[in-house]
Amino acid sequence: IRAEKRGCPRAPEVDCHRGAQYAQPMSKGSVSDPDLVAQAVAGDREAARELVQRHQNKVYRLALRITRNPSDAQDVLQETFLNVFRKLDSFQGASAFTSWRYRVTVTTALMRLRSDRKVDEIPLDTVLPTFSDSGEYAGKIADWSERGDARVERREIAATIQAGVEALPEKYRIVFLLRDVEDLSTEEVADVLDLSVPAVKTRLHRARLFLRKAIGEQMAGGSRGGPGASTSPAANEPPT
């Protein structure tokens, strides 16, 4: 990566195939992110290298989960750090550097995804359980304890979850990835995506219901070709 714009530190190169740093061992491993940012803005290339080394693996993994394409994820990795270092001097520290990095990664990955191709998604209306007028879940949730884990191989459940996550509409999938995969707090997800906390909770709840339903069908032996395989896309999605 090269950031040649005046006033911004030059970003070190990144090995986006393995997420490994092309650099000699760093001596700034104990320095905090805010201090590294300040040093990088002041022109310290070692600080910039440490920021890349510290965060690039997570950037690549999240980019891959969003784009679902290794080549696109590599491009997103490069573009994310280029954008980060171009705007590093404008980082005010109002939120953690990690949250800001997540925001840049998500924005860059979504732009890449939308510019490259249209991704087939299954609107949740076609697969979610029904809700009452008061917003309460109206369906019956299977009691998995009655069946036990012996009914389904662990890798089959994992494959079902992965397929279910990939089938989620974008706005639900991103929330699920940030909250349940990247392990951000609800408040952090809201900050990264510029959403209200209630909106994050609603999207996360519906994403989890969809995945629970997909796993329940798998455990009950009713899955045919993966979650949502027997449903046809509908025109509308649930609000928020």
Side-chain angles (χ1 to χ4, degrees), residues 87-147:
K87 301 176 181 178
L88 199 59
D89 56 352
S90 66
F91 176 66
Q92 300 298 320
S95 60
F97 177 79
T98 298
S99 297
W100 186 56
R101 181 258 294 164
Y102 271 118
R103 187 180 303 116
V104 176
T105 303
V106 170
T107 300
T108 305
L110 291 180
M111 290 178 62
R112 181 77 179 187
L113 193 63
R114 293 164 183 169
S115 65
D116 279 355
R117 60 191 178 278
K118 291 184 177 180
V119 177
D120 293 333
E121 296 173 339
I122 301 173
L124 289 188
D125 267 349
T126 67
V127 290
L128 270 179
T130 56
F131 294 87
S132 66
D133 292 338
S134 63
E136 298 293 327
Y137 174 51
K140 180 180 179 181
I141 297 179
D143 183 1
W144 295 355
S145 62
E146 295 179 358
R147 298 182 178 274

Side-chain angles (χ1 to χ4, degrees), residues 43-231:
D44 187 337
R45 282 185 55 78
E46 293 302 301
R49 291 179 188 275
E50 176 63 24
L51 282 171
V52 171
Q53 184 178 26
R54 187 175 295 180
H55 293 280
Q56 65 182 348
N57 288 339
K58 289 186 177 180
V59 169
Y60 178 78
R61 286 197 299 267
L62 180 58
L64 182 60
R65 286 167 179 147
I66 294 174
T67 64
R68 294 166 286 188
N69 181 286
S71 178
D72 285 345
Q74 291 165 14
D75 290 341
V76 169
L77 173 64
Q78 297 278 348
E79 293 168 13
T80 293
F81 278 107
L82 181 58
N83 289 332
V84 163
F85 282 101
R86 279 176 171 169
K87 301 176 181 178
L88 199 59
D89 56 352
S90 66
F91 176 66
Q92 300 298 320
S95 60
F97 177 79
T98 298
S99 297
W100 186 56
R101 181 258 294 164
Y102 271 118
R103 187 180 303 116
V104 176
T105 303
V106 170
T107 300
T108 305
L110 291 180
M111 290 178 62
R112 181 77 179 187
L113 193 63
R114 293 164 183 169
S115 65
D116 279 355
R117 60 191 178 278
K118 291 184 177 180
V119 177
D120 293 333
E121 296 173 339
I122 301 173
L124 289 188
D125 267 349
T126 67
V127 290
L128 270 179
T130 56
F131 294 87
S132 66
D133 292 338
S134 63
E136 298 293 327
Y137 174 51
K140 180 180 179 181
I141 297 179
D143 183 1
W144 295 355
S145 62
E146 295 179 358
R147 298 182 178 274
D149 292 340
R151 290 288 305 275
V152 181
E153 293 288 342
R154 185 170 301 177
R155 61 175 174 268
E156 292 177 343
I157 296 178
T160 300
I161 294 174
Q162 181 177 352
V165 171
E166 292 182 355
L168 284 169
E170 182 179 283
K171 63 182 182 180
Y172 300 100
R173 182 162 51 89
I174 300 303
V175 168
F176 178 83
L177 289 173
L178 291 175
R179 180 64 182 86
D180 284 358
V181 178
E182 296 294 325
D183 202 28
L184 272 64
S185 69
T186 303
E187 292 73 19
E188 287 172 329
V189 176
D191 180 51
V192 168
L193 299 179
D194 196 22
L195 294 171
S196 67
V197 169
V200 170
K201 289 181 176 180
T202 297
R203 295 185 186 188
L204 180 63
H205 176 65
R206 294 190 172 186
R208 287 171 173 172
L209 277 178
F210 167 74
L211 295 175
R212 184 182 181 94
K213 182 173 184 286
I215 297 171
E217 289 176 351
Q218 176 74 23
M219 294 183 70
S223 176
R224 295 183 296 274
S230 62
T231 61

